[in-house]
Amino acid sequence: MKIDIISAVPSLLKSPFEDSILKRAQTKEIVEVNIHNLRDYSTNNQKSIDDYAFGGGAGMVLSIEPIDKCIASLKENTNYDEVIFMTPDGEKLNQKISNQLSLHSNIIVLCGHYKGIDERVRQHLITKEISIGDYVLSGGELAAAVLCDSIIRLIPGVLNDETSALSDSFQDNLLAPPVFTRPANFKNWEVPKILTSGNTKEIEDWRHEKSLEKTTKLRPDLLK
Ligand code: 6GU
């Protein structure tokens, strides 16, 4: 899978892709992540990428020209399955959307910034709009990193143990059960006996029961 991220503040996007699972996914060449600086596609001498809003107010608005130029140059070499715009008024991200996006070959992720973006970008260049929750971030970069992390970890071969993405919270609309590791007794805080019993079937049943209990208590909406 190839992900091309377009941003006015590319430095905000660097570190999430330079460690751990996301780094390994790139080293193993399962995913290619390219970060593009919108300013490199400015169409004027001042290298500006935004302008005043027609009609006044609203602060600066990201211009359509550099975005169109950047997307057009990416499309010269690649067919994209989706051109995604990160925005707080987009569709709220969930595990189902991440699962669907993880099946694609090529996607563009455009990060919004400043006060807004010329609406014509959304009308003519964008195929999908995603938000990561009902709160406002200063820009789409952190949200794009969240989206990419949730997608990349689902691609086969990225996680060592392929079952581990399948047992994630939300994957079956249940929250994951609690887990424990050694020591079995710490300051008299004990690990549930069943987990050290070696009885695989009973452990599996216990985990499912705890998942249900936890979901009923914390996220009953998921059970509907
Ligand atoms: Cl995708 N962008 C911004 N700026 N704020 C957000 C968001 C996205 N999702 C939630 N809040």
Side-chain angles (χ1 to χ4, degrees):
M1 180 187 217
K2 184 164 76 139
I3 305 178
D4 286 289
I5 310 177
I6 305 170
S7 163
V9 198
S11 58
L12 270 177
L13 277 159
K14 262 175 66 88
S15 74
F17 297 99
E18 286 178 349
D19 270 296
S20 185
I21 291 169
L22 301 195
K23 179 187 180 178
R24 203 174 61 227
Q26 293 171 90
T27 310
K28 285 167 120 183
E29 296 185 5
I30 298 168
V31 67
E32 178 186 329
V33 179
N34 305 303
I35 300 167
H36 306 275
N37 188 346
L38 194 54
R39 211 165 285 279
D40 295 341
Y41 297 85
S42 171
T43 50
N44 58 44
N45 292 333
Q46 300 80 257
K47 292 264 164 239
S48 73
I49 50 172
D50 57 4
D51 210 333
Y52 297 99
F54 278 127
M60 301 301 272
V61 175
L62 279 181
S63 308
I64 191 168
E65 290 139 301
I67 294 169
D68 178 65
K69 192 174 164 193
C70 182
I71 291 176
S73 97
L74 292 174
K75 283 183 174 172
E76 273 174 26
N77 305 311
T78 307
N79 285 319
Y80 290 95
D81 301 292
E82 297 280 8
V83 181
I84 300 167
F85 178 49
M86 302 307 301
T87 177
D89 56 1
E91 184 182 4
K92 211 188 294 174
L93 183 63
N94 58 35
Q95 194 64 40
K96 186 173 162 213
I97 296 174
S98 296
N99 286 340
Q100 286 165 350
L101 292 175
S102 76
L103 301 173
H104 288 327
S105 304
N106 303 298
I107 59 173
I108 289 176
V109 180
L110 172 65
C111 303
H113 225 259
Y114 305 94
K115 263 291 170 201
I117 192 164
D118 191 309
E119 186 69 15
R120 291 168 293 183
V121 171
R122 303 172 73 157
Q123 290 168 340
H124 301 289
L125 302 174
I126 295 299
T127 62
K128 198 175 193 60
E129 303 186 327
I130 292 180
S131 159
I132 63 163
D134 292 342
Y135 42 84
V136 176
L137 301 169
S138 311
E141 283 76 12
L142 299 181
V146 167
L147 173 69
C148 291
D149 186 312
S150 78
I151 294 171
I152 292 169
R153 64 196 307 288
L154 294 170
I155 304 172
V158 170
L159 298 181
N160 285 332
D161 177 357
E162 281 210 30
T163 62
S164 70
L166 296 176
S167 62
D168 282 348
S169 281
F170 302 111
Q171 208 48 273
D172 48 8
N173 266 348
L174 290 178
L175 301 180
V179 292
F180 299 86
T181 187
R182 289 184 289 182
N185 185 338
F186 176 74
K187 295 183 179 173
N188 264 344
W189 302 336
E190 290 194 33
V191 168
K193 283 275 178 300
I194 184 99
L195 294 178
T196 52
S197 70
N199 187 329
T200 327
K201 172 74 173 80
E202 280 189 23
I203 291 172
E204 208 179 290
D205 290 346
W206 181 88
R207 287 190 168 141
H208 185 67
E209 186 190 314
K210 289 293 160 189
S211 273
L212 269 174
E213 257 177 48
K214 201 166 155 183
T215 313
T216 307
K217 183 161 174 240
L218 299 174
R219 293 294 307 275
D221 57 297
L222 293 176
L223 296 170
K224 276 186 264 161

